[in-house]
Amino acid sequence: MNEKMRFFPDEVIQQILARLPVKSLFRTKTVCKLWHRLTSDKYFIQLYNEVSAKNPMLLVEISDSTESKSSLICVDNLRGVTEFSLDFLHDRVKVRASCNGLLCCSSIPEKGVYYVCNPMTRELKLLPRSRERPVTRFYPDGEATLVGLACDLTTHKFNVVLAGYHRTFGHRPDGTFICLVFDSVSNRWRKFVSVQDDKFSHMNRNQAVFVNGALHWLTGSVSCILALDLECDVWRKISLPDEVCCGSGNRVYLLESDGCLSVIQISEVWMKTWLLKDYYREEWHTVDWVSLRCIKGMVPSIFPISQTGEYVFLATHKQVLVYHRKSRLWKEMYSVKNGSTLPLWFSAHAFRSTIFSCY
């Protein structure tokens, strides 16, 4: 260990190490016994995750039309673009949900097989099979309409939610809405059935937001936000800001920002952002109103994915952009160089680099 580092208190060393990327952090464990002890401490793990939560990233699964394969990139406002792989799963998978550093992936060859993994630490958990037969579970194709992942950094537990409209084999859907919830503590699935008259569009499936102990989705009609309370398995509706205007070229997206629900509306020339300051009173506040004239050609395909109070990550068909709120500047972070089979926003997820364990 460097002689100068011995003069720093343990708390200062932990503050420094908490700002390293996960891979670099793991290498520091081998430097000396002190650093190994400090980085294994429960306080440090909580500190590291809190620091990481302030630096959201963008995770994109890129499909290559020429090679019939996909790769993953992570776009970080501080460190740029890095590539990584999910090869440690030993399966062809599709990323279905992301929350606080964990990913929920479904097997492409075998329906009904799900993994939860931390791509930075390369830890994985194969979820036990649900007893429900896929063909009798969800309408129209046996796949869950909604897949949500909720990771609580304080309790170190996670939940996976599979939800969709029910269809018994050989019959039409009966209007009931089935939810299967996996609990990492009990290592079991639980099931409950409700009636949902609000449809979910394909576009908003990726944007499940976990705040206040609940998962949130925007309805396909953009009439409200539906929240699933994971403590009592109850759905509730949350009203959107009064100023949100649907139709006429306006698109609405649900995101998280610094632990709060946020709504972004994009029109031909404006991007307007609201924050739910009071969750239970449903009090929305306008955050900013941004002109899109300087990226006019990209507006029809732009899709906000992740944000903080300082910046917003957005994806188009071919680019990943970041908008800095203070400087009001746009910057291209990534651009597809070859033929991509899908638009980038189709498989983009908000992401954070944490040392959350999925065991």
Side-chain angles (χ1 to χ4, degrees):
M1 183 175 63
N2 190 309
E3 291 293 328
K4 293 182 179 180
M5 291 298 287
R6 293 184 178 179
F7 294 102
F8 287 111
D10 290 354
E11 293 79 5
V12 175
I13 296 175
Q14 287 180 317
Q15 287 288 342
I16 295 171
L17 297 179
R19 284 151 177 81
L20 292 175
V22 172
K23 291 182 179 179
S24 300
L25 176 66
F26 276 32
R27 284 196 292 268
T28 64
K29 288 178 174 287
T30 63
V31 171
C32 63
K33 292 181 179 180
L34 174 63
W35 284 17
H36 186 278
R37 177 176 61 81
L38 292 179
T39 55
S40 302
D41 185 73
K42 287 184 178 180
Y43 163 78
F44 176 80
I45 293 173
Q46 187 68 28
L47 172 66
Y48 189 92
N49 291 337
E50 289 175 358
V51 172
S52 297
K54 298 176 183 178
N55 181 37
M57 306 172 187
L58 188 70
L59 178 73
V60 187
E61 192 172 7
I62 300 171
S63 301
D64 192 329
S65 59
T66 60
E67 300 182 22
S68 299
K69 67 177 185 178
S70 61
S71 58
L72 287 169
I73 64 165
C74 188
V75 184
D76 185 338
N77 185 50
L78 300 177
R79 305 181 184 98
V81 179
T82 55
E83 291 188 22
F84 63 92
S85 171
L86 297 178
D87 57 359
F88 60 95
L89 296 178
H90 303 293
D91 194 357
R92 285 196 305 120
V93 298
K94 169 71 177 174
V95 178
R96 300 298 303 273
S98 171
C99 183
N100 286 331
L102 295 189
L103 302 178
C104 178
C105 305
S106 61
S107 173
I108 294 174
E110 196 169 356
K111 281 189 176 182
V113 173
Y114 288 88
Y115 304 88
V116 171
C117 67
N118 186 325
M120 296 302 177
T121 63
R122 297 175 69 86
E123 293 181 348
L124 70 96
K125 180 177 181 61
L126 172 62
L127 301 189
R129 287 268 197 163
S130 165
R131 293 182 179 180
E132 298 287 319
R133 289 181 61 200
V135 74
T136 64
R137 246 190 347 210
F138 300 120
Y139 172 83
D141 56 3
E143 290 280 289
T145 302
L146 305 180
V147 178
L149 177 63
C151 305
D152 193 321
L153 293 175
T154 57
T155 62
H156 299 282
K157 64 173 284 188
F158 68 84
N159 296 101
V160 174
V161 174
L162 307 180
Y165 295 93
H166 178 262
R167 179 187 65 176
T168 304
F169 183 68
H171 295 77
R172 293 183 178 182
D174 56 16
T176 56
F177 199 70
I178 289 185
C179 291
L180 298 171
V181 182
F182 175 79
D183 188 291
S184 63
V185 176
S186 64
N187 197 43
R188 292 180 179 178
W189 293 90
R190 63 180 186 267
K191 171 186 172 182
F192 67 98
V193 178
S194 60
V195 177
Q196 281 295 347
D197 54 359
D198 295 281
K199 305 295 183 182
F200 296 91
S201 74
H202 187 74
M203 287 289 292
N204 58 29
R205 292 185 194 180
N206 283 357
Q207 292 193 301
V209 178
F210 176 61
V211 298
N212 286 85
L215 277 166
H216 304 76
W217 285 271
L218 190 66
T219 58
S221 61
V222 196
S223 59
C224 65
I225 297 166
L226 282 181
L228 175 59
D229 189 319
L230 294 170
E231 290 297 321
C232 51
D233 292 341
V234 172
W235 288 92
R236 65 176 284 238
K237 293 184 179 181
I238 299 176
S239 301
L240 291 167
D242 295 334
E243 300 91 338
V244 167
C245 179
C246 305
S248 302
N250 293 322
R251 291 169 286 137
V252 182
Y253 304 92
L254 182 67
L255 282 78
E256 180 262 354
S257 181
D258 300 326
C260 297
L261 276 181
S262 175
V263 166
I264 292 182
Q265 177 177 285
I266 292 181
S267 64
E268 293 181 358
V269 292
W270 295 104
M271 179 173 70
K272 192 170 183 180
T273 305
W274 293 268
L275 205 63
L276 188 58
K277 288 288 188 179
D278 193 313
Y279 184 80
Y280 297 101
R281 294 183 180 179
E282 299 185 12
E283 294 180 357
W284 293 91
H285 293 201
T286 303
V287 175
D288 59 13
W289 203 333
V290 180
S291 172
L292 300 177
R293 295 185 187 278
C294 61
I295 59 164
K296 188 175 181 180
M298 300 180 182
V299 172
S301 67
I302 206 163
F303 197 116
I305 306 295
S306 177
Q307 67 171 337
T308 67
E310 298 181 7
Y311 56 87
V312 187
F313 273 123
L314 307 101
T316 69
H317 277 83
K318 300 288 185 180
Q319 297 94 5
V320 172
L321 307 175
V322 62
Y323 172 74
H324 292 270
R325 288 192 163 112
K326 289 184 179 179
S327 64
R328 296 187 175 274
L329 294 177
W330 293 85
K331 180 181 178 182
E332 182 182 281
M333 298 292 292
Y334 177 80
S335 178
V336 175
K337 305 303 180 186
N338 50 19
S340 180
T341 58
L342 295 172
L344 293 187
W345 46 255
F346 189 83
S347 56
H349 301 263
F351 186 68
R352 286 171 179 149
S353 178
T354 68
I355 45 180
F356 195 114
S357 177
C358 54
Y359 291 151

